[in-house]
Amino acid sequence: MSVNVEGQALSAGRAEPVRDSVWSLLRQDIGCVFERDPAARTRLEVLTTYPGVHAIVLYRCAHRLWQRQWCFSARLLSYIARIWTGIDIHPGARIGCRFFIDHGSGVVIGETAEVGDDVTLYHGVTLGGTSWRKGKRHPTLGNGVVVGAGAKILGPITLGHHVKVGANSVVIRDVPERSTVVGIPARVVRASKPANLNPFGIDLDHHLIPDPVAGAINCLLERIRQLEQATGQHGCLQGGTQPEDECDDCEARDVCET
């Protein structure tokens, strides 16, 4: 999988020599807010009131310092950004174009994380490491990934292009592109082409995901219904054979009949 990071195409650890300037990246970061947040009205409003934009602006500057080996200055700037915005982005992380953090509070991005283009994170997301060893220990996110609020993506795993992560999920394994994952630990519940793209070609409907627990319960209910029919029983009363044998005060009736 090839991931674009800071204007570079990363594939198998190799990068193209062309890199976008900081100003070009910032213009794209600010412009993408209007594509993904219907509440955004003016550039002045975005620049002055959006903590996610403040965090990414300071990150872009800190990352350039990190690349020049001015590590203390870079860490100090990222620390100021964390105090100001509540968003902790390590200056060593590599983040692509048009990166958007919605609301932002509590977002953590580790040192060796790699994030592709057009990625959207909601508040409380963690791109965390799982090892004390130096080297690659944080996740890689492909282009167009959407991560729901409170989700944790842990370890040196890879999420393919256009993956959606459900809110509060914990992802600890690689995820194929164009998949939706949910749960603890997260599992793939859908692998298909997104159908609800906004006018800018981005699918932000991370709440429209199937419920695997409800699906399993429905399978069990259908199995029970088949067994009752095979034994000539009906309803939830023992020995019942007619619809009238249903419990009048059964609180689970709505669930059973869905």
Side-chain angles (χ1 to χ4, degrees):
M1 183 184 72
S2 178
V3 178
N4 292 326
V5 176
E6 293 191 301
Q8 298 178 325
L10 301 183
S11 179
R14 302 179 63 181
E16 295 178 357
V18 179
R19 182 175 62 197
D20 291 346
S21 68
V22 173
W23 294 114
S24 175
L25 291 170
L26 291 178
R27 281 195 297 270
Q28 295 178 70
D29 292 330
I30 295 169
C32 78
V33 175
F34 299 94
E35 301 174 2
R36 304 179 213 175
D37 185 2
R41 292 187 290 262
T42 66
R43 286 184 176 271
L44 178 62
E45 179 185 61
V46 169
L47 282 170
T48 55
T49 66
Y50 275 63
V53 172
H54 301 158
I56 193 63
V57 167
L58 292 175
Y59 157 77
R60 299 289 187 199
C61 298
H63 185 63
R64 287 295 189 263
L65 294 174
W66 186 267
Q67 290 178 315
R68 289 169 171 78
Q69 302 300 313
W70 296 347
C71 296
F72 176 77
S73 299
R75 290 302 301 270
L76 181 62
L77 187 56
S78 66
Y79 177 67
I80 293 171
R82 185 179 70 175
I83 295 175
W84 184 10
T85 66
I87 299 169
D88 186 1
I89 306 177
H90 194 285
R94 308 185 70 179
I95 298 176
C97 307
R98 299 175 297 279
F99 179 58
F100 179 48
I101 302 175
D102 199 0
H103 297 289
S105 179
V107 169
V108 177
I109 301 177
E111 178 187 7
T112 63
E114 298 176 45
V115 178
D117 293 342
D118 301 303
V119 170
T120 302
L121 307 183
Y122 288 85
H123 56 280
V125 169
T126 297
L127 306 184
T130 56
S131 172
W132 290 98
R133 301 190 183 98
K134 293 184 179 295
K136 179 65 172 173
R137 59 191 184 279
H138 297 91
T140 296
L141 275 59
N143 303 328
V145 172
V146 177
V147 184
K152 315 301 177 187
I153 305 174
L154 306 176
I157 61 176
T158 299
L159 275 62
H161 301 316
H162 306 290
V163 163
K164 289 198 297 183
V165 179
N168 293 315
S169 299
V170 178
V171 187
I172 56 175
R173 297 184 181 88
D174 292 348
V175 180
E177 63 180 46
R178 299 191 182 279
S179 299
T180 298
V181 294
V182 63
I184 304 175
R187 299 181 184 279
V188 175
V189 293
R190 178 184 297 161
S192 62
K193 186 176 181 179
N196 299 308
L197 302 180
N198 70 7
F200 302 96
I202 299 172
D203 182 11
L204 295 178
D205 288 335
H206 62 285
H207 64 293
L208 299 178
I209 54 179
D211 185 344
V213 175
I217 292 175
N218 286 333
C219 288
L220 291 174
L221 291 173
E222 180 59 28
R223 181 61 176 168
I224 291 172
R225 190 185 302 275
Q226 292 175 359
L227 291 173
E228 288 177 341
Q229 291 175 352
T231 58
Q233 293 187 350
H234 184 88
C236 50
L237 293 179
Q238 186 174 5
T241 59
Q242 302 298 324
E244 296 78 34
D245 294 326
E246 294 282 1
C247 293
D248 293 333
D249 58 351
C250 180
E251 296 180 356
R253 176 174 294 177
D254 291 341
V255 176
C256 292
E257 298 300 328
T258 56

